[in-house]
Amino acid sequence: MRRFTGPGPGSGPSPDRSRPPGRPGNLPAELNRFVGRDDELADLAARLGADRLVTLTGLGGVGKSRLATHAGAILQDRFCDGVWLVELASLHEPHLLDHAVAEALALADHSTRPPRSALCDHLADRELLLVLDGFEHLVDACAELVTALLRRAPGLRVLAAGRRPLGVPGEQVLPLPPMNAADAAALFADRAASVVAGFGVGPGDEDAVGELCRRLDGIPLALELAAGRLRVLSVEQVLHRLDDRFRLLTGTTRGVPPRHRTLRCAIGWSHELCTPQERLLWARLSVFAGQFDLEAAEYVCSGPELPTEELLDVVGELVAQSVLVREEGAAGVRYRMLDTVRAYGADWLAATGDGERLRRRHRDWYLGLATWCELDWFSSRQAEIAARIEAELPNLRIALEHSLESACDTHLGQYLAGTLWFYWVGCGRLAEGRHWLDRALELEGGHDEARLKALWVAGYVAVLQGDTVGALGALQECREEAERTGNTGAAAYALHRTGCLALVCDDMPRAEELLRGALARYHEIGELNSNVLMGQVELAMAVAFQGQLADAVRLCQDVLEVCEDHGERWARAYALFVLAYAAWSDGDSGRARALLEESLGIHHAFRDLLGAVLAIELVALVVAGEGEAEEAAVLQGAAERIWPSVGLPLFGSRYFSRPHALCEEQARRRLGDGRYERALREGARLDLDAAAARILPARGPLPGPRRAVRIGSPATNEPAASPSASGGETAG
C-alpha cells in the first residue's frame, strides 16, 4: 500500500499551509484539522506527478473540495508559480467562467481581447497547479477551457473536483469514496470535540460512534452535521433520531443512487431538527451566492414569520449547527453556506413558491448596496468600499443577471452596471465591467436616465481599454440623448469622457477645450466627486503635454486639497502622477520619485493596473536619469508585461509614450543592445506585485479597511434608493 509521505494527516493539528513565504497562490488557510485520507492523498500526489489533468469525482459532501485544497497545499513546493484555487459553485453563467478564473489568478485584464486569450498568454510560460472546484454545473464550458489552457501552457497542471468527469483527452479520473471506518470515527471525534469541550470516544462510546459512522456511510458532511448536534443531544440520541429520519427520507426518494439518498438523509435529518424559523431562514438564505453579511440577510429574509429582531439568534443557531459558516475578513464578519446545504435550501424555497419574491428582494438589496458604495467612494472609506464590493461580487453578478433576464427590469440592470463604474475602473475590473455594460446596452430598458448612465460609463471603460470606436459610439449616443432629454448630468459626463478620449488620441487642444467645458458644467450643476477630480487631473495632463507645466501643477494641487478634505485617494494618485511628471520635467528627479512612489502605492492597493503601469513607466525614466540604466530596463520590461492586460500600450499616444521612448534611448546607450534586452527580459518575468516591491520603500502594506461598510439605516435596515435626480456620482 502506498503511503503519503507528507505530514501525517490525523496525527496532530495541520499547520497553516495556505501560502509559504515567497510562494504565490491563493489557497485559503485551513480552519480545522484535516483528518484521514492517507491513501487518497498518496494516490492523488502520484497522479499529479504523472498527468497534467486529474479529476477528483464523487457525490456531494464526500470531501472532494477539502481533499483537493489540502493536497494542493501539501504539493505547493512542486510548482514554482504556486497553487491557485478557482471556486465555481456560486458561478451560474458559463459565459463568466473565463472572468472567474482570471479573478482567482489575480489577472486583471483591461484590454478588449477575449478573456481566454489573456488567460492563455498569462499561463503560457508558468508552472502552476490550477484547482477547479465545483464545476459540475459548468462541465461543458470547463472542459473547453481546460483543453485550451493545457494546449497553450505546457507547465500547467489541473486538479478538478466535481461530481462527474470533464471528459476531455488525457484526463485521469480519481473517484473519491466515503471515508473508511477508522477515518470516519476520527473525523467525528475531532469535530465533536470542537463542539463539546472534553469530548472523547471512550470504551463505552466506541460502538455507538461506529454505528453512527456506518449509518452515515462515512460521508464527511453528514459526520460533521451529526457532530454539530452534540450541542444538545448525546450520541445515542443522535442515533435514535437519525433512524427515524433515514427511513422517512429514503422511502420518499426514488430513482436516485443510494449514496445520494444517504446524503439527502443526512441533510434532511439536520433540517428536521431545526425549528420552523431556522428552516425558513435556511431556505431563504439559498438566494445568496458566496458570502453575505447579517444586514443583507436581515433585509432579504425577514418578514412576518421571521421578524428582523429575531433573525440574529436564528443565524447564530444555523452557525452552531454548521448550516452556515462564519468567516471574517476585510469586509467584516460574513457567512456562507456549503453548496450542498444551499441546494437543499433552494429546493425547500421552490416548494414554498416564494422564490421569485426573495430574488427580487436580493436584487433590491444589492442595488442599494451599489448606490451607497458609489456615494461613499468619494470619501476616506474608499479602501473599505473596494473590499466590500470585492466580497459581494458573486451576489452583484446574480443581481445583474436577474435584472437583465426580465424585460421589465432591464433598466435596473443598466443602472447597476453603470453605478459600479468605480469598481470596474478603480479596482482593475475593466474587462468584466465592459461585459456587463455591453449586455445591458443591448437591451431596451425604457428608462432614459439608467441607459444614459450605462452609456457614459461604457464610453469611459472603452477609452481606458483603448477602444476608440466603441468609446466614440457610446459617448456620442449619450451626449445626443442627454441633450434631447435635458439631462444635464449625463451631458456633462459624456462631454468629460469625450475630452478624455481626445487626450489619449493626442488631440491636446480639443481635449483641453472639452475638459474645461465639462468642468464648467459640473460647477453649474453642483457636482463634486471623484469623477470631477479626475476631469481636473486629465485637464492637467492635457496642458502639461502642451508645455504649460505651471498650470498643470496648479490644477493638481487644487485636486490634492479637495482630496485631503474628503479623504479621497484614488484621484489623488493620478494627481500625484501628473505632479511627478512636472517635477521630472523641471529636473527634480528626487521629488518626482517620491511622488511616484506614493502614487504607485495607492494604485497597487486598489489593483488599478492603468494607474500602476503609468507610474512604473515614469519611475523607469527617473531611474534611468539617476544612472541606474539596468534597473530602468527591468522596470520597462515589467511594464511591457502589464500593458496587454490594460489595453493598447500607452494608448498608442506619442505624448504618453515619450517617457518610455526617452528611457529606452538612455538605457540602450548606456547598456548596449544586448544588456538592455536581457534586462528587459528579466523585467518581463515580474508581475505587478514584484514590480511594485522593487520600487516602493519597505514600509509594509498600506493600511486596509478598519471596519465593514454598513449599508442602509441602522434603524430600518432599508436599502438605499436608486437616485433619480442629479447629485453625487449617480447623476445621469
Side-chain angles (χ1 to χ4, degrees):
M1 178 185 297
R2 287 180 296 177
R3 305 300 295 174
F4 184 70
T5 58
S11 60
S14 294
D16 181 352
R17 300 177 177 274
S18 59
R19 191 178 303 174
R23 181 69 60 184
N26 70 337
L27 291 179
E30 296 183 309
L31 300 180
N32 52 24
R33 194 166 68 97
F34 185 88
V35 178
R37 300 291 198 187
D38 284 359
D39 294 338
E40 291 89 346
L41 279 168
D43 196 6
L44 188 54
R47 294 192 187 215
L48 281 171
D51 302 291
R52 299 185 61 208
L53 170 60
V54 178
T55 300
L56 196 61
T57 63
L59 56 92
V62 80
K64 302 181 296 294
S65 300
R66 184 67 187 272
L67 180 63
T69 54
H70 187 73
I74 290 174
L75 299 173
Q76 282 187 105
D77 289 342
R78 288 190 184 181
F79 304 94
C80 63
D81 291 305
V83 180
W84 298 84
L85 173 65
V86 185
E87 295 176 298
L88 296 172
S90 63
L91 187 71
H92 300 288
E93 295 298 324
H95 58 81
L96 290 176
L97 174 62
D98 293 6
H99 290 292
V101 175
E103 174 187 345
L105 289 169
L107 172 61
D109 191 282
H110 296 192
S111 67
T112 57
R113 60 180 172 166
R116 184 157 304 177
S117 297
L119 282 171
C120 289
D121 291 344
H122 178 74
L123 296 172
D125 59 349
R126 285 173 168 77
E127 294 182 10
L128 60 78
L129 175 64
L130 187 65
V131 181
L132 298 177
D133 183 35
F135 65 83
E136 53 269 356
H137 59 302
L138 302 168
V139 64
D140 292 335
C142 280
E144 182 181 327
L145 175 61
V146 167
T147 300
L149 294 180
L150 289 173
R151 285 175 176 169
R152 290 283 302 277
L156 174 67
R157 291 284 196 279
V158 177
L159 172 56
R163 299 183 187 183
R164 52 177 291 185
L166 285 167
V168 302
E171 181 183 33
Q172 295 296 312
V173 179
L174 178 59
L176 183 63
M179 302 184 86
N180 61 43
D183 285 350
L187 176 66
F188 179 81
D190 181 84
R191 300 306 188 254
S194 69
V195 172
V196 179
F199 178 88
V201 180
D205 300 321
E206 289 178 351
D207 290 343
V209 170
E211 175 68 6
L212 179 64
C213 294
R214 185 188 67 78
R215 298 284 295 278
L216 292 176
D217 282 352
I219 298 173
L221 174 59
L223 294 167
E224 295 194 351
L225 290 172
R229 300 313 303 170
L230 295 185
R231 294 179 186 276
V232 293
L233 301 173
S234 68
V235 175
E236 292 288 349
Q237 287 175 314
V238 169
L239 268 174
H240 175 72
R241 292 169 179 261
L242 181 64
D243 185 69
D244 290 339
R245 300 313 183 270
F246 269 165
R247 285 201 298 266
L248 174 64
L249 294 175
T250 301
T252 59
T253 306
R254 302 184 184 277
V256 296
R259 287 179 177 174
H260 286 191
R261 292 201 299 267
T262 301
L263 179 61
R264 185 164 182 82
C265 282
I267 301 175
W269 157 77
S270 183
H271 187 267
E272 286 294 313
L273 290 179
C274 288
T275 66
Q277 280 191 325
E278 291 164 9
R279 296 177 202 163
L280 181 61
L281 182 57
W282 183 344
R284 290 180 174 179
L285 288 174
S286 68
V287 300
F288 289 95
Q291 297 179 332
F292 55 90
D293 61 16
L294 180 63
E295 288 77 12
E298 287 174 335
Y299 175 76
V300 175
C301 301
S302 63
E305 318 91 331
L306 196 59
T308 302
E309 60 272 15
E310 298 178 17
L311 195 134
L312 174 60
D313 291 335
V314 183
V315 166
E317 286 301 312
L318 292 181
V319 171
Q321 297 173 54
S322 300
V323 174
L324 287 179
V325 178
R326 179 188 183 277
E327 297 177 337
E328 191 164 357
V333 174
R334 302 174 64 75
Y335 308 93
R336 65 177 176 87
M337 279 184 170
L338 296 174
D339 301 319
T340 309
V341 175
R342 181 185 295 108
Y344 190 89
D347 289 343
W348 278 82
L349 182 62
T352 68
D354 203 23
E356 181 58 29
R357 183 185 71 86
L358 267 293
R359 283 186 285 274
R360 284 197 303 271
R361 287 183 69 82
H362 176 277
R363 186 223 33 227
D364 291 346
W365 174 263
Y366 286 99
L367 279 171
L369 174 80
T371 299
W372 272 103
C373 285
E374 182 193 31
L375 292 169
D376 235 12
W377 182 253
F378 185 53
S379 74
S380 60
R381 293 178 292 278
Q382 282 182 329
E384 298 166 28
I385 295 297
R388 179 67 185 270
I389 296 296
E390 182 76 16
E392 300 288 9
L393 189 55
N395 284 302
L396 288 164
R397 287 168 172 165
I398 286 181
L400 283 161
E401 285 287 354
H402 188 270
S403 299
L404 297 178
E405 285 172 353
S406 172
C408 61
D409 290 338
T410 298
H411 67 290
L412 297 177
Q414 292 172 342
Y415 169 80
L416 181 54
T419 296
L420 289 170
W421 70 266
F422 63 94
Y423 184 66
W424 311 138
V425 173
C427 301
R429 299 284 184 178
L430 288 179
E432 182 166 353
R434 183 72 180 275
H435 166 82
W436 289 114
L437 290 160
D438 286 349
R439 278 194 62 191
L441 290 170
E442 287 171 357
L443 306 172
E444 290 297 330
H447 289 66
D448 289 335
E449 189 169 342
R451 182 173 181 82
L452 289 173
K453 183 167 191 175
L455 279 169
W456 74 254
V457 175
Y460 184 14
V461 171
V463 167
L464 299 181
Q465 289 182 310
D467 181 7
T468 303
V469 174
L472 191 59
L475 294 172
Q476 185 171 338
E477 180 182 347
C478 184
R479 287 184 68 183
E480 291 173 354
E481 286 301 304
E483 298 294 351
R484 183 183 64 82
T485 59
N487 191 318
T488 55
Y493 280 98
L495 184 65
H496 172 183
R497 294 307 162 194
T498 305
C500 187
L501 179 61
L503 175 69
V504 300
C505 290
D506 284 349
D507 191 347
M508 297 305 154
R510 178 164 172 75
E512 180 180 356
E513 176 188 355
L514 293 172
L515 290 168
R516 288 191 187 279
L519 290 171
R521 293 197 183 193
Y522 287 146
H523 181 73
E524 289 172 5
I525 63 177
E527 195 86 338
L528 179 61
N529 51 49
S530 297
N531 266 311
V532 175
L533 296 182
M534 281 299 297
Q536 193 158 328
V537 171
E538 289 151 2
L539 175 60
M541 290 182 182
V543 300
F545 287 147
Q546 295 178 82
Q548 304 167 32
L549 293 178
D551 287 345
V553 168
R554 178 183 54 78
L555 287 165
C556 288
Q557 286 175 339
D558 287 345
V559 169
L560 293 185
E561 289 180 10
V562 178
C563 289
E564 186 69 25
D565 290 341
H566 292 269
E568 213 281 357
R569 295 176 61 214
W570 176 66
R572 174 184 175 84
Y574 282 95
L576 292 169
F577 169 80
V578 179
L579 290 172
Y581 178 86
W584 167 79
S585 300
D586 284 339
D588 191 347
S589 63
R591 174 169 169 74
R593 183 157 186 168
L595 292 166
L596 287 168
E597 286 176 357
E598 184 179 352
S599 176
L600 177 59
I602 297 171
H603 288 307
H604 183 239
F606 283 113
R607 309 304 297 179
D608 183 346
L609 286 187
L610 175 59
V613 73
L614 287 173
I616 291 171
E617 290 277 12
L618 193 51
V619 170
L621 178 56
V622 172
V623 166
E626 294 174 342
E628 300 179 53
E630 189 163 355
E631 180 66 12
V634 169
L635 293 177
Q636 282 201 310
E640 286 184 6
R641 172 176 173 169
I642 296 170
W643 271 114
S645 295
V646 177
L648 185 62
L650 293 159
F651 311 110
S653 159
R654 69 179 186 274
Y655 290 100
F656 282 95
S657 297
R658 181 169 174 256
H660 180 94
L662 288 174
C663 179
E664 180 177 351
E665 178 185 348
Q666 292 179 24
R668 280 188 185 276
R669 184 171 63 248
R670 294 174 184 172
L671 298 175
D673 290 343
R675 287 180 62 195
Y676 174 79
E677 295 295 340
R678 283 194 297 273
L680 208 63
R681 288 193 295 271
E682 178 185 345
R685 292 193 290 268
L686 304 177
D687 59 12
L688 174 59
D689 291 340
R694 295 180 77 104
I695 295 170
L696 298 178
R699 57 190 174 196
L702 289 167
R706 294 182 298 276
R707 59 176 178 81
V709 181
R710 186 177 180 90
I711 304 301
S713 164
T716 64
N717 219 26
E718 290 298 311
S722 303
S724 57
S726 63
E729 284 167 317
T730 56

